[in-house]
Amino acid sequence: MFYKDERLALFIDGSNLYAAGKSLGFDIDYKLLRQEFLRRGKLLRAFYYTALLENDEYSPIRPLVDWLHYNGFNMRTKPAKEYTDSQGRRKVKGNMDIELAVDAMELADYVDHIVLFSGDGDFRPLVESLQRKGVRVSVVSTIRSQPPMIADELRRQADNFIELDELRDVIGRPPRDPMPEREPADTEQT
């Protein structure tokens, strides 16, 4: 439930929203997402949180980060940490929960409604604290994936739960197929 005159802010946990969309079989069109919430109220800010691998020559998320930055999103990034687990697998860690929570608490006095795009149960105390400040909180994630992407305690704490799958036609696009490999050029001359 949204009111036209309420001041909105979006807080997007990038990796969590990506995983939820992928589990449902679609990609998020961030231009459409922003337009949808501009339509629902007075959108003051849209934050996007992600960790980046700084030492890679090419990061697949860099074009998205740049596009979001140039198209009205407040970007919050930090270097991801790489490590090798006990089985020798390369792992990447880049949790942005604290940054998101701090920004949400700082903005709470200036907004009426916060929309949190994450299913992470660690955000339940943040939602509760925002509600004590008089801010309504909607959470966008999914219960339709296997397993569900939203923690039950977060869904119960939120003022409103928005099923991501129900936004598919409004903010989604089909996932991109990997680029097909090119056939080698025929160099045979006749």
Side-chain angles (χ1 to χ4, degrees):
M1 178 183 294
F2 289 83
Y3 303 107
K4 279 284 193 205
D5 62 338
E6 68 184 351
R7 298 165 299 167
L8 299 175
L10 310 181
F11 288 84
I12 301 168
D13 177 347
S15 62
N16 196 286
L17 182 58
Y18 172 79
K22 187 175 179 180
S23 73
L24 294 170
F26 73 96
D27 288 336
I28 307 297
D29 184 322
Y30 289 96
K31 182 178 182 181
L32 294 175
L33 183 147
R34 192 168 181 277
Q35 288 173 349
E36 174 63 18
F37 287 91
L38 279 166
R39 187 184 63 75
R40 291 186 182 207
K42 295 176 183 176
L43 183 61
L44 300 183
R45 294 280 183 273
F47 292 92
Y48 186 94
Y49 299 83
T50 192
L52 298 170
L53 282 173
E54 296 295 327
N55 58 352
D56 280 2
E57 287 182 28
Y58 172 76
S59 169
I61 196 167
R62 177 51 73 184
L64 173 63
V65 168
D66 291 343
W67 187 91
L68 291 169
H69 185 73
Y70 287 115
N71 287 278
F73 287 80
N74 294 77
M75 298 306 301
R76 297 289 192 259
T77 63
K78 72 177 180 185
K81 307 253 190 291
E82 274 190 272
Y83 66 95
T84 305
D85 71 8
S86 60
Q87 280 79 44
R89 293 179 299 221
R90 179 179 167 232
K91 296 281 189 170
V92 177
K93 182 178 181 179
N95 193 317
M96 298 289 294
D97 292 3
I98 296 298
E99 291 82 353
L100 189 153
V102 168
D103 287 347
M105 291 304 293
E106 286 180 349
L107 205 59
D109 293 338
Y110 306 99
V111 297
D112 304 306
H113 193 157
I114 283 178
V115 183
L116 174 63
F117 290 81
S118 182
D120 189 338
D122 290 345
F123 287 125
R124 193 210 55 78
L126 169 65
V127 171
E128 183 180 31
S129 184
L130 290 166
Q131 290 167 331
R132 282 195 305 267
K133 288 179 154 285
V135 177
R136 290 181 345 106
V137 181
S138 291
V139 174
V140 179
S141 189
T142 185
I143 57 174
R144 295 185 182 163
S145 61
Q146 227 22 280
M149 295 293 293
I150 186 163
D152 190 52
E153 64 271 15
L154 179 62
R155 187 167 57 94
R156 290 174 187 265
Q157 185 68 50
D159 294 298
N160 187 30
F161 169 68
I162 301 170
E163 171 57 55
L164 181 61
D165 197 33
E166 292 176 8
L167 293 176
R168 177 190 303 256
D169 294 340
V170 181
I171 67 167
R173 64 170 186 249
R176 295 182 186 187
D177 292 328
M179 294 275 294
E181 296 210 16
R182 291 185 172 199
E183 294 291 322
D186 188 9
T187 57
E188 198 172 60
Q189 293 187 0
T190 50

